[in-house]
Amino acid sequence: MFQSWQFYSILVALFNGTNLLLRKWLFNSGINFEQVMIPFTFFWGLMLILLSFYLCNNCKWKIFPKNNKKKYTILFTTLLASFFVMIGIVYNAKSWFKVDNGARVDSLSQPIKIIYMYLISIILFGNKIVFKHIIGICLALLGVHFVK
């Protein structure tokens, strides 16, 4: 059970949902966007630094491969991914700040994310097109239509 991706996906949903609900509670309490996001990003950054130290210690500080090309690929790709995560978190928080029910935000953004990732994984990684996935995408699009 602890080795399955489904178990970790459920944990992601619970932890991310709790994070968003806590911030939405603050927004609903009349606290403005910046008053919530500045401490949130500070504490989030601090926790990420602590996690980085833990991970570095866990791998005995052998962070990068000896191959310089791989090292620069890792650095550039993770820098780019970090930038996109930062922008995504800010826009997600802004959308939660502007909506009455946060579930509406995720009911629109999550199906779009799934469709985007599925199509890109087919194009970039050569994943196969599976008929039941196409049906799921169509259902997701239908759900997005009804939620908006």
Side-chain angles (χ1 to χ4, degrees):
M1 176 173 143
F2 296 115
Q3 297 301 322
S4 73
W5 64 269
Q6 292 94 340
F7 172 76
Y8 291 105
S9 295
I10 292 168
L11 289 179
V12 166
L14 293 174
F15 286 118
N16 282 349
T18 302
N19 153 43
L20 292 169
L21 288 169
L22 286 170
R23 285 188 282 145
K24 182 60 178 170
W25 176 73
L26 291 173
F27 294 150
N28 287 348
S29 298
I31 300 171
N32 72 29
F33 180 75
E34 289 80 12
Q35 289 173 325
V36 172
M37 288 306 292
I38 290 170
F40 170 74
T41 55
F42 174 78
F43 289 126
W44 178 48
L46 184 64
M47 290 183 186
L48 288 175
I49 289 170
L50 293 173
L51 177 62
S52 295
F53 279 120
Y54 169 77
L55 292 173
C56 289
N57 191 40
N58 199 32
C59 72
K60 299 185 180 16
W61 293 86
K62 295 179 182 170
I63 303 167
F64 299 111
K66 293 183 183 194
N67 181 336
N68 275 341
K69 185 176 181 193
K70 283 186 180 182
K71 183 189 319 184
Y72 294 127
T73 301
I74 291 169
L75 285 172
F76 178 74
T77 305
T78 55
L79 175 67
L80 198 58
S82 299
F83 174 75
F84 286 126
V85 165
M86 178 193 66
I87 297 298
I89 286 174
V90 169
Y91 286 160
N92 191 13
K94 197 69 163 176
S95 61
W96 270 73
F97 179 72
K98 292 181 173 284
V99 73
D100 57 340
N101 183 352
R104 292 181 68 203
V105 171
D106 284 343
S107 63
L108 179 62
S109 65
Q110 294 303 319
I112 291 171
K113 180 178 81 173
I114 291 167
I115 293 166
Y116 171 74
M117 289 175 56
Y118 183 69
L119 293 175
I120 295 301
S121 68
I122 290 170
I123 294 167
L124 290 182
F125 306 129
N127 292 359
K128 295 180 180 169
I129 298 174
V130 179
F131 183 69
K132 67 181 179 179
H133 295 169
I134 301 300
I135 292 173
I137 286 174
C138 292
L139 290 173
L141 288 172
L142 189 62
V144 167
H145 173 72
F146 286 120
V147 169
K148 66 176 182 162

